[in-house]
Amino acid sequence: MRVLSVASEVFPLIKTGGLADVVGALPGALAPLGVEMRVLVPGYPAVLEKLKRRASATPLGPLFGGEARLLAGKAAGLDLFALDAPHLFARPGNPYVDQHGHDWPDNAERFAALSLVAARIGTGLVGGYRPDVVHGHDWQAGLMPAYLHYGGGARPHTVMTVHNLAFQGRFPAELLATLMLPAAAMAIDGVEYYGGIGFLKAGLRLADRITTVSPTYAEEIATVEGGMGLGGLLRGRADVLSGILNGIDETVWDPASDPSLAANRAGRGLAWRRQNKAALRARFGLDARSKRMLFGVISRLSEQKGLDLLLAALPRFLALDADLVLVGAGDAAQEDAYRAAAERTPGRVGVFIGYDEKLAHLVQGGVDALIVPSRFEPCGLTQLCALRYGAVPVVARVGGLADTVIDANEMAVAARVATGIQFSPVTEAALAHTLARAVTLWRQPRIWRRMQRNGMATDVSWRRPAERYVELYEELVAAQRDPPSIHGPVSAAG
Ligand code: ADP
């Protein structure tokens, strides 16, 4: 089975969030199951630099205003295709925005190019390589199913995975011809979206299968409240929509060998965590003699992540016997507010504004509990890492957070199966109440240690998710033997 994965980020070459982690981990998880997955990414400087052992370069001719070629090779253990188009991708830094944080004005062309080349690889551009399935991730790959659909002729099967429905790739209708889409595509069954062009919408409308990264998020996005404008479309495609949880890379996130920790896990004991907690307190300048509980946050600072609620709850938090460390970046107002909180309460609140992978590992190894108060969360990776490191996740009961944490309710505690704490609704009051509840539980070491051990024993690897993806691909390929109208028009639906 050959699958071409198409995405705008891949760990460890280029990453702004969990999408990169997933795209980087899937090939390794699928290989033992007989799936040969190659990844197509834009040729950003960070990617081309790593793509040292180039096997080949295929000229693509002019592509949206400049010459392009397709490089194939290996980097970081991945089989990669990189779309080398300097006029589109030879820009340092963040893949989507300029140094002032503004979207690149040609993002439509940049990611249409990625999708178009994916479609061309899918129909035989590269000699000797023909994927059975082309699997696109998020809006940046959303036009791939459209190019295959309107291109006509034999095509591979297509899957679209939604990692975050909030990012949709909406562009003006006038770009239709520029993007080399036929006039017929400007329709409700095509790429049209509220009068413009919707990249993610196109992918969700025209892909053979849709997945998202947790079963609960799959339900949420098919509702009016959670659908962000696409709920109706997704309800109409409920028969091809499913949720497959993400896993985490167990070699990158391994407390027994993690070089970013002050002490590594050894055997069943939990003493190593005390050393990491002390190191973390020192790193953030927190009161060294404190015996207080330590909460942590590792997150983008955005509306989605709900960390404004934690800011609002800080006065009530500080009345508890607990301290806080936060590693985060994003919304400037939230960054400032957290910095100010750390200055106001030295010794109790430590803040690092920025992106620091190593520090994120130390936080997981050292905090007693990790707070994830997201308003919505497709899957969430930090709570999975927390489980593996014995940091108890305190999470909003939404999306993948609801699916991966077993709440310490009375029965779960009695049955000794709890792995964390959930709260709902996602409000400041519920969060503050839950943090107090966490402190109460932490003061009962037998219950708390049981939760830590349960979490550490939870399978957060890619094993099960990889099996689910293989099932999906196999179903699609089996359907090919009886292809009714996969090249025909897509019927209107809900
Ligand atoms: P999202 O992709 O929505 O940002 P996820 O929980 O799915 O959220 O994935 C976030 C990933 O990025 C995790 O691997 C997390 O450890 C990492 N991360 C987020 N913010 C930071 C930060 N400021 N520094 C280091 N790592 C971070």
Side-chain angles (χ1 to χ4, degrees), residues 150-166:
Y150 296 108
R155 67 162 177 86
H157 301 279
T158 54
V159 177
M160 277 303 298
T161 293
V162 180
H163 296 263
N164 194 331
L165 197 70

Side-chain angles (χ1 to χ4, degrees), residues 153-349:
R155 67 162 177 86
H157 301 279
T158 54
V159 177
M160 277 303 298
T161 293
V162 180
H163 296 263
N164 194 331
L165 197 70
F167 304 115
Q168 301 192 343
R170 284 174 74 169
F171 299 99
E174 297 76 64
L175 283 176
L176 194 74
T178 307
L179 299 181
M180 293 186 273
L181 288 162
M186 202 61 202
I188 184 97
D189 281 339
V191 306
E192 190 275 335
Y193 187 49
Y194 294 102
I197 298 171
F199 279 33
L200 183 62
K201 186 266 171 156
L204 299 183
R205 178 64 264 164
L206 296 168
D208 297 321
R209 294 295 177 96
I210 303 166
T211 73
T212 186
V213 288
S214 68
T216 295
Y217 195 57
E219 286 175 18
E220 289 168 352
I221 62 177
T223 64
V224 173
E225 310 78 49
M228 297 185 166
L230 289 161
L233 188 161
L234 289 165
R235 277 196 295 289
R237 303 212 69 200
D239 55 332
V240 296
L241 167 65
S242 61
I244 303 179
L245 277 173
N246 289 331
I248 56 171
D249 187 325
E250 288 179 306
T251 54
V252 174
W253 293 100
D254 181 1
S257 63
D258 190 331
S260 304
L261 296 183
N264 285 118
R265 174 182 168 181
R268 275 183 47 80
L270 291 163
W272 60 282
R273 293 191 46 82
R274 278 204 293 279
Q275 291 181 53
N276 287 303
K277 184 171 174 179
L280 200 54
R281 285 189 164 283
R283 174 75 171 70
F284 280 91
L286 299 188
D287 181 359
R289 285 157 311 175
S290 155
K291 296 270 183 296
R292 286 186 288 270
M293 181 174 178
L294 182 60
F295 286 88
V297 171
I298 306 162
S299 187
R300 289 187 291 119
L301 300 177
S302 71
E303 162 82 10
Q304 172 191 343
K305 298 295 180 177
L307 290 161
D308 51 314
L309 302 174
L310 180 60
L311 271 173
L314 268 185
R316 285 167 76 179
F317 176 84
L318 290 168
L320 300 171
D321 201 16
D323 298 333
L324 173 71
V325 293
L326 173 136
V327 179
D331 179 84
Q334 280 192 40
E335 289 184 351
D336 290 345
Y338 274 108
R339 274 199 204 94
E343 277 163 29
R344 268 200 316 274
T345 40
R348 300 270 326 260
V349 176

Side-chain angles (χ1 to χ4, degrees), residues 26 30 135 161 211 244 462 465-473:
L26 265 181
L30 290 168
H135 185 163
T161 293
T211 73
I244 303 179
W462 275 102
E467 284 168 12
R468 299 281 317 279
Y469 280 110
V470 173
E471 281 164 24
L472 176 82
Y473 300 147

